[in-house]
């Protein structure tokens, strides 16, 4: 375990938070999209995050439970809750009774998600900064 | 008295352990949003004492005793943390403070190494530098 692998842990955190921001912005942009690629109303998406041991237990010589963990985006979960229906008979996607099913996106949730992801991103960036300072100090030993 | 006494070795061990701890604290920050993740940490003082103790047991080839010990000592921090609704127990404030604190301590150790080397240099140069 050296400086660079620790940087990679932070990088995995940055990537995970960026994925959260990507999906939250996609959800926000499609808050009113009534027709997706499958013809159905857009459904909001969330990343599934998983902690992954950063190096194999063989490499580090310690048990898998005790070593530093990076974070991995395991996949994207599609929120299956139903969107609310609005009566709008003139809408091209209205059903037989004149109701349009809107996406299950709540903009308030998405913005909260965005802010939380931004804070976590900054925390990871700060961790990188600390590590860089440490590496610099190690390099300058004996100068 | 030896010229290269135990000081530099101790500082080296401390730097190693601080880096190891930094890696754990960094992974806590990276997993701040991972459901079910429990932050891990180890007691630096305890790890230092363990690394300093004369190691009777044989160490694997090419592996310093201190690091293997520190890794094995990493404990999930269940106390003092409240699980969030996703069972994640990372406290962002605590994690960042620990990160900054550990980084500062690392810097202090690096400076201590510098001072020690400066003393040696002073002695080696007849006190002219």
């Amino acid at each position: 375990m050296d400086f660079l692998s620790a940087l990679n842990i932070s990088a995995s955190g940055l990537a995970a938070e960026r994925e959260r921001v990507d999906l939250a912005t996609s959800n926000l942009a499609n808050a009113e999209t009534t027709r997706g690629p499958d013809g159905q109303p857009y459904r909001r998406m969330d990343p599934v995050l998983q902690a992954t041991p950063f190096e194999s237990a063989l490499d580090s010589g310690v048990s898998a439970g005790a070593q530093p963990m990076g974070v991995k985006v395991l996949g994207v979960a599609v929120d299956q809750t139903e969107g609310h229906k609005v009566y709008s008979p003139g809408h091209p996607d209205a059903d037989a009774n004149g109701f349009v099913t809107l996406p299950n996106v709540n903009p308030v949730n998405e913005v909260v998600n965005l802010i939380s992801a931004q804070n976590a991103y900054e925390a990871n960036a700060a961790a990188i900064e600390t590590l860089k300072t440490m590496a610099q100090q190690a390099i300058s030993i004996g100068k | 008295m030896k010229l290269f006494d135990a000081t530099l070795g101790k500082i080296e061990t401390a730097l190693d352990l601080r880096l190891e701890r930094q890696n754990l604290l960094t992974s806590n920050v990276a997993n701040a949003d991972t459901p079910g993740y429990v932050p891990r940490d180890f007691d630096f003082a305890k790890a230092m004492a363990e690394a300093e103790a004369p190691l009777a047991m044989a160490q694997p080839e090419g592996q310093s005793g201190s690091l293997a010990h520190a890794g094995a000592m990493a404990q999930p921090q269940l106390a003092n943390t409240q699980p969030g609704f996703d069972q994640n127990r990372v406290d962002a404030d605590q994690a960042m403070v620990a990160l900054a604190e550990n980084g500062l301590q690392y810097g202090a150790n690096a400076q201590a190494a510098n001072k020690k080397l400066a003393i040696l240099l002073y002695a080696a140069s007849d006190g002219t530098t």
Side-chain angles (χ1 to χ4, degrees), chain B residues 40-98:
Chain B
R40 271 103 32 87
D41 197 358
F42 64 80
D43 183 349
F44 179 82
K46 228 169 110 187
M48 192 71 193
E50 201 138 312
E52 288 291 297
L55 292 171
M57 63 192 97
Q59 290 299 324
E61 198 67 30
Q63 188 167 36
S64 75
S66 57
L67 289 192
H69 272 236
M73 283 173 75
Q75 292 293 329
Q77 303 291 296
L78 281 169
N80 309 327
T81 51
Q82 285 296 315
F85 63 90
D86 59 354
Q87 294 300 309
N88 183 301
R89 282 175 181 264
V90 178
D91 179 332
D93 307 318
Q94 233 176 52
M96 294 312 285
V97 166

Side-chain angles (χ1 to χ4, degrees), chain A residues 74-98:
Chain A
L74 206 60
V76 174
V78 179
D79 190 338
Q80 293 296 345
T81 53
E82 276 299 313
H84 61 284
K85 290 182 190 301
V86 180
Y87 184 66
S88 173
H91 195 286
D93 288 323
D95 61 14
N97 300 321

Side-chain angles (χ1 to χ4, degrees), chain A residues 28-50:
Chain A
L28 268 180
N30 286 293
E32 304 287 334
T33 306
T34 53
R35 206 179 295 179
D38 55 354
Q40 295 297 307
Y42 177 86
R43 287 181 191 278
R44 62 179 303 276
M45 295 181 284
D46 273 319
V48 183
L49 303 183
Q50 190 196 36

